[in-house]
Amino acid sequence: MKRTFKIIAINFMVLSTLIVGVEILSQLAYLLKNGNLLFLETISVHSRTFEIHPYLVGRLKSSVKVKKNNKTITTTHTRWG
């Protein structure tokens, strides 16, 4: 029982280390290719398009226009239905 737990714990640590390593290498590859980190770019887009809401995590701001990769996203507070 003790040996099985030890094997499982070691496997979990190795897998976790590999996942974190792949994430770091992916961020570095993106940085070298595009000149900025992906998660920082994502945060800036989200802060421009979402606002804090007391009951929800966030909601879309009205009349926001975001351009990225030759694509435009426009938001409104209109709901259909």
Side-chain angles (χ1 to χ4, degrees):
M1 181 71 174
K2 199 173 186 182
R3 187 170 190 267
T4 304
F5 178 74
K6 189 175 181 180
I7 290 171
I8 291 172
I10 290 172
N11 285 334
F12 178 75
M13 287 186 281
V14 168
L15 181 64
S16 298
T17 304
L18 287 173
I19 290 172
V20 170
V22 167
E23 179 65 30
I24 291 171
L25 288 174
S26 299
Q27 287 290 337
L28 288 174
Y30 190 86
L31 175 66
L32 292 174
K33 182 180 177 191
N34 297 318
N36 59 347
L37 295 173
L38 179 62
F39 69 90
L40 293 177
E41 187 176 307
T42 306
I43 290 171
S44 69
V45 170
H46 288 178
S47 65
R48 288 188 311 223
T49 54
F50 290 95
E51 62 188 6
I52 296 173
H53 188 274
Y55 302 118
L56 306 170
V57 174
R59 70 175 177 186
L60 285 173
K61 292 180 180 177
S62 62
S63 303
V64 173
K65 198 179 253 192
V66 176
K67 283 189 169 190
K68 184 170 178 173
N69 299 333
N70 297 327
K71 296 177 184 172
T72 303
I73 300 172
T74 306
T75 63
T76 63
H77 280 278
T78 306
R79 296 192 97 169
W80 300 93

